[in-house]
Amino acid sequence: MTNEENDCVFCKIVRGEMPCHKIWEDENFLAFADANPVVEDHTLVIPKKHFSSLSDINEEICCGYIGAIKETGKILVKKCNADGFNVALNNGEAAGQVVNHVHFHIHPRKKGDGLKLSFK
Ligand code: AMP
Ligand code: ZN
């Protein structure tokens, strides 16, 4: 394990060293509730293997990622009776990425919820 993986907060969640509220997982991906939700049921989808950003992921993760997001979105829509969801990625520090383990944000949405998600 590299020092980066050892110190990474999302790797710690994958290793079971930190708690999370799990939404879904398969062999390669884990979806869990964001600790600071900007909307109810705000969820993060990560590969279980450490990659710093989307720019670094390998072919296998690249191919499976959309399926993992789709599956998580389906579960969230059912769970919170949502009408849709936003998918967001902050890729790199300049784009607002704080945790250096690639993660897509999923924000469940309801018709007329008035939520304005803006790029700062
Ligand atoms: P980003 O700016 O895209 O890197 O977002 C990082 C996200 O990770 C933020 O929305 C945080 O609230 C979330 N986060 C950080 N630590 C944890 C944690 N231990 N469990 C769940 N979410 C976390
Ligand atoms: Zn990591």
Side-chain angles (χ1 to χ4, degrees), residues 52-56 89-97 102:
S52 298
S53 77
L54 189 69
S55 311
D56 303 309
L89 169 74
N90 300 323
N91 200 54
E93 193 180 347
Q97 183 176 0
V102 61

Side-chain angles (χ1 to χ4, degrees), residues 27-77:
E27 188 189 346
N28 291 326
F29 297 95
L30 172 66
F32 57 96
D34 194 294
N36 304 287
V38 300
V39 59
E40 202 175 337
D41 289 300
H42 179 171
T43 296
L44 304 174
V45 185
I46 66 165
K48 289 183 175 177
K49 189 169 162 32
H50 182 90
F51 298 97
S52 298
S53 77
L54 189 69
S55 311
D56 303 309
I57 64 174
N58 67 22
E59 191 73 18
E60 185 188 14
I61 296 305
C62 194
C63 291
Y65 220 157
I66 284 289
I69 291 165
K70 181 182 169 186
E71 197 59 39
T72 305
K74 202 161 73 179
I75 288 165
L76 289 173
V77 162

Side-chain angles (χ1 to χ4, degrees), residues 16-29:
E17 295 168 10
M18 277 186 67
C20 77
H21 176 67
K22 192 187 296 177
I23 303 295
W24 173 84
E25 71 176 326
D26 72 2
E27 188 189 346
N28 291 326
F29 297 95

